[in-house]
Coordinates of all heavy atoms in Angstrom, one line a residue:
K1 N 6.2 96.9 11.1 CA 7.1 97.2 12.1 C 7.2 96.1 13.3 O 8.2 95.7 13.8 CB 6.8 98.5 12.8 CG 7.2 99.7 12.0 CD 6.8 101.0 12.6 CE 7.6 102.3 11.9 NZ 7.3 103.6 12.5
S2 N 6.0 95.6 13.5 CA 5.8 94.5 14.6 C 6.5 93.4 14.1 O 7.2 92.7 14.9 CB 4.2 94.3 14.8 OG 3.6 95.4 15.4
A3 N 6.5 93.0 12.9 CA 7.0 91.8 12.3 C 8.6 91.9 12.3 O 9.3 91.0 12.6 CB 6.5 91.5 10.9
K4 N 9.0 93.1 12.0 CA 10.5 93.4 11.9 C 11.1 93.3 13.3 O 12.2 92.9 13.7 CB 10.7 94.8 11.2 CG 12.2 95.1 11.1 CD 12.3 96.5 10.5 CE 13.7 96.8 10.2 NZ 14.0 98.2 9.6
H5 N 10.3 94.0 14.3 CA 10.8 94.0 15.6 C 10.8 92.5 16.2 O 11.7 92.1 16.9 CB 9.7 94.7 16.5 CG 10.1 94.7 18.0 ND1 11.1 95.4 18.6 CD2 9.4 94.0 19.1 CE1 11.1 95.1 19.9 NE2 10.1 94.1 20.2
K6 N 9.8 91.7 15.9 CA 9.8 90.3 16.4 C 10.9 89.5 15.8 O 11.6 88.7 16.4 CB 8.5 89.7 15.9 CG 8.3 88.3 16.4 CD 6.9 87.6 16.1 CE 6.5 86.3 16.8 NZ 7.4 85.3 16.4
A7 N 11.2 89.7 14.5 CA 12.3 88.9 13.9 C 13.7 89.4 14.5 O 14.5 88.6 14.8 CB 12.3 89.2 12.4
S8 N 13.8 90.7 14.8 CA 15.0 91.2 15.4 C 15.2 90.6 16.9 O 16.4 90.1 17.2 CB 15.0 92.7 15.5 OG 16.0 93.2 16.2
M9 N 14.2 90.5 17.6 CA 14.2 90.1 19.1 C 14.5 88.5 19.0 O 15.2 87.9 19.9 CB 12.9 90.3 19.8 CG 12.7 91.8 20.1 SD 14.0 92.5 21.0 CE 14.9 93.4 19.8
E10 N 14.0 87.8 18.0 CA 14.2 86.4 17.8 C 15.7 86.1 17.6 O 16.1 85.1 18.3 CB 13.3 85.8 16.7 CG 11.8 85.6 17.0 CD 11.0 85.2 15.8 OE1 11.6 85.2 14.6 OE2 9.8 84.7 16.0
K11 N 16.3 86.8 16.7 CA 17.8 86.7 16.5 C 18.5 87.0 17.7 O 19.4 86.3 18.1 CB 18.2 87.7 15.3 CG 17.8 87.4 14.0 CD 18.2 88.3 13.0 CE 17.9 87.8 11.6 NZ 18.2 88.9 10.5
Q12 N 18.0 88.1 18.4 CA 18.8 88.4 19.7 C 18.7 87.3 20.7 O 19.5 87.1 21.4 CB 18.3 89.7 20.3 CG 19.0 90.2 21.5 CD 18.6 91.6 21.8 OE1 18.1 92.5 21.1 NE2 18.7 92.0 23.2
K13 N 17.4 86.7 20.8 CA 17.2 85.7 21.8 C 18.2 84.4 21.6 O 18.6 83.8 22.4 CB 15.8 85.3 21.9 CG 15.5 84.0 22.9 CD 14.1 83.8 23.0 CE 13.8 82.6 23.9 NZ 14.8 82.2 24.8
V14 N 18.3 84.1 20.2 CA 19.2 83.1 19.8 C 20.7 83.3 20.5 O 21.3 82.4 20.9 CB 19.2 82.8 18.3 CG1 20.3 81.9 17.9 CG2 17.8 82.3 17.9
K15 N 21.2 84.5 20.0 CA 22.5 84.9 20.6 C 22.7 84.8 22.1 O 23.6 84.3 22.6 CB 22.7 86.3 20.1 CG 23.1 86.5 18.5 CD 23.4 87.8 18.2 CE 23.5 87.9 16.7 NZ 23.9 89.4 16.3
V16 N 21.7 85.4 22.7 CA 21.6 85.3 24.1 C 21.6 83.9 24.7 O 22.4 83.5 25.7 CB 20.5 86.2 24.9 CG1 20.4 86.0 26.3 CG2 20.7 87.7 24.5
D17 N 20.9 83.1 24.2 CA 20.7 81.7 24.6 C 21.9 80.9 24.3 O 22.5 80.1 25.0 CB 19.5 81.0 23.9 CG 18.2 81.4 24.5 OD1 18.1 82.1 25.5 OD2 17.1 81.1 23.8
E18 N 22.6 81.1 23.2 CA 23.8 80.6 22.8 C 25.0 81.1 23.9 O 25.7 80.2 24.3 CB 24.4 81.1 21.5 CG 23.6 80.3 20.4 CD 23.8 80.8 19.0 OE1 24.6 81.8 18.8 OE2 23.3 80.2 18.0
S19 N 25.0 82.3 24.2 CA 26.0 82.9 25.2 C 25.8 82.2 26.6 O 26.7 81.7 27.3 CB 25.9 84.3 25.3 OG 26.3 85.0 24.2
I20 N 24.5 82.0 27.1 CA 24.2 81.4 28.3 C 24.6 79.9 28.2 O 25.2 79.5 29.3 CB 22.8 81.5 28.7 CG1 22.4 82.9 28.9 CG2 22.4 80.6 29.8 CD1 20.9 83.3 29.1
A21 N 24.3 79.2 27.1 CA 24.7 77.8 27.1 C 26.2 77.6 27.1 O 26.8 76.6 27.5 CB 24.1 77.2 25.8
A22 N 27.0 78.5 26.5 CA 28.4 78.5 26.4 C 29.1 78.7 27.8 O 30.3 78.3 27.9 CB 28.9 79.4 25.2
A23 N 28.4 79.4 28.7 CA 29.1 79.7 30.0 C 28.8 78.6 31.0 O 27.9 78.6 31.6 CB 28.5 81.1 30.5
T24 N 29.7 77.7 30.9 CA 29.6 76.5 31.7 C 30.5 76.5 32.8 O 30.2 75.6 33.9 CB 30.0 75.3 30.9 OG1 31.3 75.4 30.4 CG2 29.0 75.1 29.6
E25 N 31.4 77.4 33.0 CA 32.4 77.3 34.2 C 31.7 78.0 35.3 O 31.1 78.9 35.3 CB 33.7 78.0 33.9 CG 34.7 78.0 34.9 CD 36.0 78.7 34.5 OE1 36.1 79.2 33.4 OE2 37.0 78.7 35.4
E26 N 31.9 77.3 36.6 CA 31.1 77.9 37.7 C 32.3 78.0 38.8 O 33.0 77.1 39.3 CB 30.1 76.8 38.4 CG 28.7 77.3 38.2 CD 27.7 76.7 39.0 OE1 27.4 76.9 40.1 OE2 27.2 75.6 38.4
R27 N 32.5 79.3 39.2 CA 33.5 79.6 40.3 C 33.3 81.2 40.6 O 32.5 81.9 40.0 CB 35.0 79.4 39.7 CG 35.4 80.4 38.5 CD 36.7 80.3 38.1 NE 37.1 81.1 37.0 CZ 37.4 82.4 36.9 NH1 37.2 83.1 37.9 NH2 37.7 82.9 35.8
G28 N 33.8 81.5 41.8 CA 33.9 82.9 42.1 C 34.6 83.8 41.1 O 35.6 83.4 40.4
I29 N 34.3 85.0 41.0 CA 34.9 85.9 40.0 C 35.5 87.1 40.8 O 35.2 87.5 42.0 CB 34.1 86.3 39.0 CG1 32.8 87.2 39.5 CG2 33.5 85.1 38.1 CD1 32.0 87.8 38.5
V30 N 36.4 87.8 40.0 CA 36.9 89.1 40.5 C 36.4 90.2 39.6 O 36.4 90.1 38.3 CB 38.4 89.1 40.4 CG1 39.0 90.5 40.9 CG2 39.1 88.1 41.3
V31 N 35.7 91.2 40.3 CA 35.2 92.3 39.7 C 35.9 93.7 39.9 O 36.0 94.0 41.1 CB 33.6 92.6 39.9 CG1 33.0 93.8 39.3 CG2 32.9 91.3 39.6
L32 N 36.4 94.3 39.0 CA 37.0 95.7 39.3 C 36.0 96.8 38.8 O 35.6 96.9 37.7 CB 38.3 95.8 38.5 CG 39.0 97.0 38.6 CD1 39.3 97.5 40.0 CD2 40.3 97.1 37.6
L33 N 35.6 97.7 39.7 CA 34.9 98.8 39.4 C 35.7 100.0 39.5 O 36.2 100.4 40.6 CB 33.7 98.9 40.4 CG 32.8 97.7 40.5 CD1 31.8 97.8 41.5 CD2 32.0 97.4 39.1
T34 N 36.0 100.6 38.4 CA 37.0 101.8 38.3 C 36.5 102.9 37.5 O 35.4 103.0 37.1 CB 38.4 101.1 37.8 OG1 39.5 102.2 38.0 CG2 38.3 100.7 36.4
G35 N 37.5 103.8 37.3 CA 37.0 105.0 36.5 C 36.9 106.2 37.4 O 36.9 106.2 38.5
D36 N 36.8 107.4 36.7 CA 36.9 108.7 37.4 C 35.4 109.1 37.8 O 35.2 110.1 38.6 CB 37.4 109.7 36.5 CG 38.9 109.6 36.2 OD1 39.5 109.0 37.1 OD2 39.3 110.1 35.2
G37 N 34.5 108.3 37.4 CA 33.1 108.8 37.7 C 32.6 108.4 39.0 O 33.2 107.5 39.7
K38 N 31.3 108.9 39.4 CA 30.7 108.6 40.7 C 29.9 107.2 40.5 O 29.4 106.9 39.5 CB 29.8 109.6 40.9 CG 28.7 109.5 42.1 CD 27.9 110.6 42.3 CE 26.7 110.3 43.1 NZ 27.1 109.7 44.4
G39 N 29.9 106.4 41.5 CA 29.2 105.3 41.7 C 29.8 103.9 41.8 O 29.2 102.9 41.8
K40 N 31.1 104.0 41.9 CA 31.9 102.6 42.1 C 31.5 102.0 43.4 O 31.1 100.8 43.4 CB 33.3 102.8 41.9 CG 33.8 103.5 40.8 CD 35.3 103.8 40.5 CE 35.7 105.0 41.4 NZ 35.2 106.3 41.0
S41 N 31.7 102.6 44.5 CA 31.4 102.0 45.8 C 29.9 101.7 45.9 O 29.4 100.6 46.3 CB 31.7 103.0 46.9 OG 33.1 103.1 47.0
S42 N 29.0 102.6 45.3 CA 27.6 102.3 45.3 C 27.1 101.1 44.7 O 26.3 100.3 45.1 CB 26.8 103.5 44.7 OG 27.0 104.7 45.3
S43 N 27.8 100.8 43.5 CA 27.7 99.5 42.7 C 28.0 98.2 43.6 O 27.4 97.2 43.6 CB 28.4 99.6 41.4 OG 28.2 98.4 40.7
A44 N 29.2 98.6 44.2 CA 29.7 97.4 45.1 C 28.6 97.0 46.2 O 28.4 95.9 46.5 CB 31.1 97.7 45.7
F45 N 28.2 98.1 46.8 CA 27.2 97.8 47.9 C 25.9 97.3 47.4 O 25.3 96.6 48.1 CB 26.8 99.2 48.6 CG 27.9 99.5 49.7 CD1 28.9 100.5 49.5 CD2 27.8 98.9 51.0 CE1 29.8 100.7 50.7 CE2 28.7 99.2 52.0 CZ 29.6 100.0 51.8

């Protein structure tokens, strides 16, 4: 189980590292927090 978990996390790390490397644009962003649930303003704060 330990070996299986390690192999799975290694694959996940490769994907995460690739995504980080691909995100090269630097600028301000627009975030929309919406939906009927509680917590939108709390998230913004």
Side-chain angles (χ1 to χ4, degrees):
K1 281 187 176 179
S2 293
K4 187 176 180 182
H5 175 78
K6 186 174 187 301
S8 175
M9 292 302 103
E10 284 174 348
K11 285 181 182 177
Q12 188 171 329
K13 181 171 172 23
V14 168
K15 288 180 181 178
V16 170
D17 288 347
E18 286 174 350
S19 296
I20 291 171
T24 57
E25 187 178 359
E26 252 190 90
R27 62 171 175 83
I29 64 169
V30 178
V31 178
L32 173 62
L33 304 172
T34 189
D36 295 335
K38 169 182 166 52
K40 298 178 288 292
S41 296
S42 301
S43 178
F45 275 98

